[in-house]
Each structure stands twice: as structure tokens, then as C-alpha cells.
Amino acid sequence: MMTKHEAIIQYIESLDVGTKISVRQIAKDLEVSEGTAYRAIKEAEVQGLVSSIERVGTVRIERKRKENFERLTFAELLKIVDGQVLGGRNGLHKSLNKFFIGAMQLDAMLRYIEPGSLLIVGNRYQAHKLALQHGTAVLITGGFDTSDEVKQLADQLSLPIISCGYDTFTVASMINRAIYDQLIKKEIMTVEDILVPSEQVTTLRPTQTVEDWQKLVQESKHIRFPVIDEENRLVGIVTSRDMVGAQIDTPIHRVMTKQPITITPQTSVASASHVMLWEGIEMLPIVDSNKVMLGIVTRQDLLKAQQFIQRQPQKGETFVNLIMSGFEEEESDGCICFKGKVTPQMTNPYGNLSIGICTTLLTEAARRYLRYAKRCDMVPEDVFIYFIKPIQIDATIHICTNILEMSRKFAKLEVVIKNDGKIMGKAILTAQLLQR
């Protein structure tokens, strides 16, 4: 039987994109308490079904798909440029597909104007009007305003027209930076991408009995089940270990493990794997801020995700990628090493390799060595670094990794950084292994 919480979520999903949502209205329409409606709306926000927009309220939005994550909504753009809405406030939930700068005549501008785009321009009223008439939103730079006619047109078409105090070049750079950051986030797989949703998970109620658990084991061939209350909140987990010595009529709430370890949808796959390995568990429930269960993830799900991550194409460069981009792989004395040059960006104010960059180099060299040589990844636990001599700017360095100890789950590594054959620093690193 569907709970009130699930019914509200289903109702929100059925609403048209752009529909305004309020706690009081949902409570009235579905005949539930305002507290129940509020918790359901918050979960819908976590799931990407609604968004709270300043001075507008909570609005039903289109759930972002992972492959289109680099697209921005106009509401997100509003926050990025610290702007104000002059008109078309009801269209802030829409996504922009591309943007272009209107530094051209109106006739030439027509080639670039298309629905779902954004025109970045100054105080050119005719350009504002032309863009709106062709389904394009407008971002006015320099803090300028627009005419009342344009504002009314924006409201009629639900196309945002936004004004900000930055110049055109700065605004374009800020938007590019935001898109680039989201491309990097797109690569970082989270449990949200692989979770088994709650509606597909077999669960138990606290009032059910051990006999009910036994029936579920026979039907599903699983031994671990989340325990949820009427509001779909996670209250415990039961496994075969909890059932040892229990009578068949014993209520689940007496034998279940209370306050189980949980994660959020935004937890990375690597972090979830570390928790699962460290705690020695086979299943992790995924909950929102109100402890409402959104789904589960198992050890098998995480292992498959780790393998998929390695096959993902590179879309953006993180700080570590930028540092390691100047290093090439080579073989020395039978082991894999990395060779590169100390660039000005990697130094401290005294012209030597900075401690933070050196730590990053040593750790990342160990990680890449394990990936190439042992086909596994790692989660560092302890790193002991010994800085012997300073490394100057423009110095060519070699970073080599040796395995001191290694088991199925753990490894102890020695990473040495050299310059002109002399040892400049050394790290002893202990890590948990994640098989690929």
C-alpha cells in the first residue's frame, strides 16, 4: 500500500514543469498534514523534481539527466552572475542550451537566435525584444535596465530577462567556468547514479515479525532488509545475524539494528566503497536529510560502478589532473615512474616546490602506479612524508613507487621523489584497495 509520503511525491511528478508548489496547497489537495507535505517537498527537491527560487517560491522543474548535466537553468545563472530579474520570472526553471554575445547588428544576430538560448548584450532594447520574440532569454550586462514593453513581453512568454553589474567578457567567463565545473562533477560518479530506488527495494515494518522476515528470505533470496516506518523513514536494518536465537513471533523492532550506517545521494562511489569496506557491510541505505529512504546500494553495485568509472571519457580537468598533465610515465629499474618538470605554478614564494603540491604528486603517483600495475584503485588512510631537500623551480623530478606490503584489501607503499639521482623526499603510504 502506498504511503502518504509516496503519494505526494507521485503527485508532484504528475505536475507540469513550471507549476508553483506550496506546502499549504498540497496539504489541502491531498488531505495530509502540512508537516507531511513539507517533508515530501524536501525529498522532491533532493530528487531534482522541484527547486526553490528566490522571490518566486518552489517550482516543479524538469529532472536533470546525467548526460545533460552541463546545462544550466536560468535560476542557476541568476545566482552565478548575482543578477536581478527584470521580467519573465516564471521561466527561471528552464534550461539554456547555449549562449552568445550580441556584439553585432540585428540582422546578423538572427543567425544565432534560437529557442532555449541566451543572449548576452548591453542596453540595446531592440535586441532584447528581437531575442524574446524568437524564444531566447536575455542577460543584460553593465547593470542596465530595459523598457517596460520588453518586460511585459518577457512576462507573457515566460522568458527571463536578467540584469547584472558585470561586463560582457566577465559574464561569459563566469558562465563557462560554471559549465566546466559541472562537467567535472559529471565525471565524479555518486551513489545517486547507481542506487536501487526505494520502490524497488523489499522492506519491513517495525511491527512485523521474524516470521515475516523468514518469508521474505525465501521469496527474494536476500537476507538483509531495511526497516521503515509509515513515513518511509529508515529506522533500522535486519540481517540473518540479528535473527540468531529469535522466536518467530518476535517483532522486528526488537531484533533490528537501530541507527544503521547511511549515506546521502551525493556521496561519491569511492567514499561509499570505503565505508562499506571499513565497516564490513554488504548494503548501505541512502537517505535524505529527514531520514526518508531513497534507495539502497550494495557491494556488487559499487564494484560495477568502479569498473564503469575507468571507462568514462575525460570531460574536464581537476586540480590534480592539471598538476599531473606535465608528467609522463616511464620505466626505471623494473618499476613504473613518473617524470616531469617543476613549473612556476607548483612553487611557493621562495621558488621551491610547495609542500601541498609535493604531497599531491606523491599520493597521485602511488594511485596511478596501482591502477597501471595492479589494476586497482586506492583510498589513502595514512601518509607519512619526509622532506629531505628543497626542490627548485624548473627542476626535473622522478617519482617512483614500490610496494612494501600488499593484501587483497590493503597496501603499504613507498613513494620516492628524486632530482638528479638524489632523493629529495619520501612518503610511506597506507591505503585501502578498491578492485577494478
Side-chain angles (χ1 to χ4, degrees):
M1 181 178 176
M2 185 182 296
T3 64
K4 294 178 181 179
H5 191 93
E6 292 168 342
I8 297 171
I9 296 294
Q10 192 176 78
Y11 171 75
I12 292 174
E13 287 181 329
S14 68
L15 296 175
D16 294 332
V17 173
T19 303
K20 291 185 179 181
I21 296 171
S22 71
V23 172
R24 184 174 299 176
Q25 189 63 43
I26 284 185
K28 180 180 177 182
D29 292 344
L30 300 183
E31 297 181 350
V32 297
S33 68
E34 291 190 2
T36 301
Y38 174 79
R39 287 190 293 272
I41 291 174
K42 281 300 178 183
E43 183 186 338
E45 189 170 2
V46 172
Q47 295 181 15
L49 296 172
V50 302
S51 177
S52 297
I53 303 173
E54 190 176 355
R55 294 187 295 273
V56 173
T58 303
V59 179
R60 171 75 167 94
I61 62 172
E62 185 177 358
R63 193 200 300 262
K64 285 187 177 181
R65 294 183 299 174
K66 195 69 174 179
E67 60 269 27
N68 291 329
F69 193 55
E70 64 271 22
R71 293 186 182 181
L72 296 173
T73 65
F74 293 111
E76 292 169 333
L77 175 68
L78 183 66
K79 294 178 182 178
I80 292 168
V81 301
D82 192 23
Q84 59 176 329
V85 183
L86 302 180
R89 193 178 298 275
N90 291 336
L92 287 174
H93 66 277
K94 297 178 181 178
S95 297
L96 63 100
N97 299 321
K98 69 175 185 178
F99 68 91
F100 63 97
I101 297 172
M104 59 193 81
Q105 297 297 322
L106 294 180
D107 293 341
M109 200 179 294
L110 283 171
R111 293 191 311 172
Y112 302 95
I113 294 177
E114 61 183 50
S117 299
L118 174 71
L119 169 66
I120 302 176
V121 71
N123 57 337
R124 298 173 61 187
Y125 299 160
Q126 293 303 317
H128 303 166
K129 184 177 179 180
L130 181 68
L132 292 173
Q133 289 172 340
H134 287 79
T136 299
V138 180
L139 176 58
I140 305 172
T141 58
F144 293 108
D145 202 344
T146 189
S147 66
D148 292 337
E149 179 188 3
V150 171
K151 293 177 183 177
Q152 291 174 4
L153 182 61
D155 289 334
Q156 292 172 8
L157 300 175
S158 294
L159 283 171
I161 182 161
I162 300 170
S163 176
C164 74
Y166 297 107
D167 62 87
T168 302
F169 177 78
T170 302
V171 165
S173 300
M174 292 167 77
I175 297 174
N176 272 325
R177 179 71 256 180
I179 293 174
Y180 192 74
D181 286 347
Q182 293 202 38
L183 284 171
I184 292 175
K185 291 179 182 178
K186 179 181 175 182
E187 297 169 26
I188 302 172
M189 184 175 288
T190 62
V191 294
E192 184 180 15
D193 304 313
I194 62 171
L195 65 81
V196 179
S198 57
E199 56 266 21
Q200 298 178 20
V201 178
T202 304
T203 59
L204 286 166
R205 298 289 186 186
T207 53
Q208 290 181 277
T209 63
V210 172
E211 186 178 8
D212 294 320
W213 173 83
Q214 291 175 346
K215 290 178 181 178
L216 286 180
V217 171
Q218 293 174 358
E219 293 171 1
S220 64
K221 306 301 181 184
H222 295 295
I223 60 173
R224 303 172 184 84
F225 301 99
V227 184
I228 59 174
D229 62 14
E230 293 181 354
E231 297 291 341
N232 205 30
R233 289 192 296 264
L234 184 75
V235 294
I237 284 182
V238 289
T239 69
S240 57
R241 194 181 312 169
D242 300 316
M243 297 301 173
V244 176
Q247 301 296 321
I248 60 171
D249 59 347
T250 304
I252 290 296
H253 68 84
R254 291 189 179 179
V255 296
M256 70 182 185
T257 300
K258 299 178 181 179
Q259 297 182 340
I261 298 169
T262 61
I263 54 177
T264 66
Q266 290 73 40
T267 303
S268 69
V269 166
S271 296
S273 299
H274 182 268
V275 171
M276 198 168 282
L277 285 170
W278 184 258
E279 300 292 341
I281 52 182
E282 297 290 332
M283 179 189 72
L284 276 172
I286 297 147
V287 300
D288 64 11
S289 58
N290 296 312
K291 289 296 181 180
V292 173
M293 196 180 82
L294 306 177
I296 64 168
V297 66
T298 65
R299 186 188 292 266
Q300 288 182 339
D301 296 330
L302 293 174
L303 288 175
K304 289 179 182 177
Q306 290 288 344
Q307 294 170 357
F308 175 77
I309 288 172
Q310 306 304 327
R311 298 193 295 268
Q312 276 192 303
Q314 189 73 8
K315 295 287 186 181
E317 289 185 310
T318 62
F319 183 63
V320 174
N321 296 139
L322 292 171
I323 293 174
M324 295 300 294
S325 62
F327 284 77
E328 57 185 21
E329 179 186 336
E330 64 175 23
E331 190 171 336
S332 176
D333 298 329
C335 68
I336 298 174
C337 298
F338 295 91
K339 176 184 176 182
K341 198 173 184 180
V342 178
T343 62
Q345 290 83 4
M346 298 163 64
T347 59
N348 58 25
Y350 306 104
N352 297 325
L353 181 67
S354 74
I355 294 175
I357 299 295
C358 186
T359 303
T360 300
L361 288 171
L362 293 168
T363 306
E364 188 63 20
R367 186 192 308 278
R368 297 194 178 195
Y369 171 79
L370 288 174
R371 284 181 184 174
Y372 298 151
K374 301 299 179 181
R375 302 294 298 172
C376 63
D377 211 324
M378 71 171 192
V379 178
E381 288 192 344
D382 295 307
V383 182
F384 299 94
I385 301 178
Y386 305 91
F387 298 101
I388 300 172
K389 295 180 180 179
I391 303 173
Q392 295 186 16
I393 190 172
D394 292 332
T396 300
I397 55 178
H398 293 77
I399 307 173
C400 299
T401 304
N402 296 308
I403 296 177
L404 301 179
E405 294 180 28
M406 190 171 183
S407 64
R408 190 168 62 90
K409 292 186 177 181
F410 295 92
K412 184 178 289 185
L413 309 168
E414 178 189 57
V415 191
V416 178
I417 184 168
K418 297 181 180 181
N419 175 228
D420 291 334
K422 299 177 181 178
I423 296 177
M424 311 300 283
K426 182 181 291 189
I428 303 298
L429 187 147
T430 304
Q432 286 197 43
L433 301 180
L434 303 174
Q435 298 299 325
R436 291 172 59 180

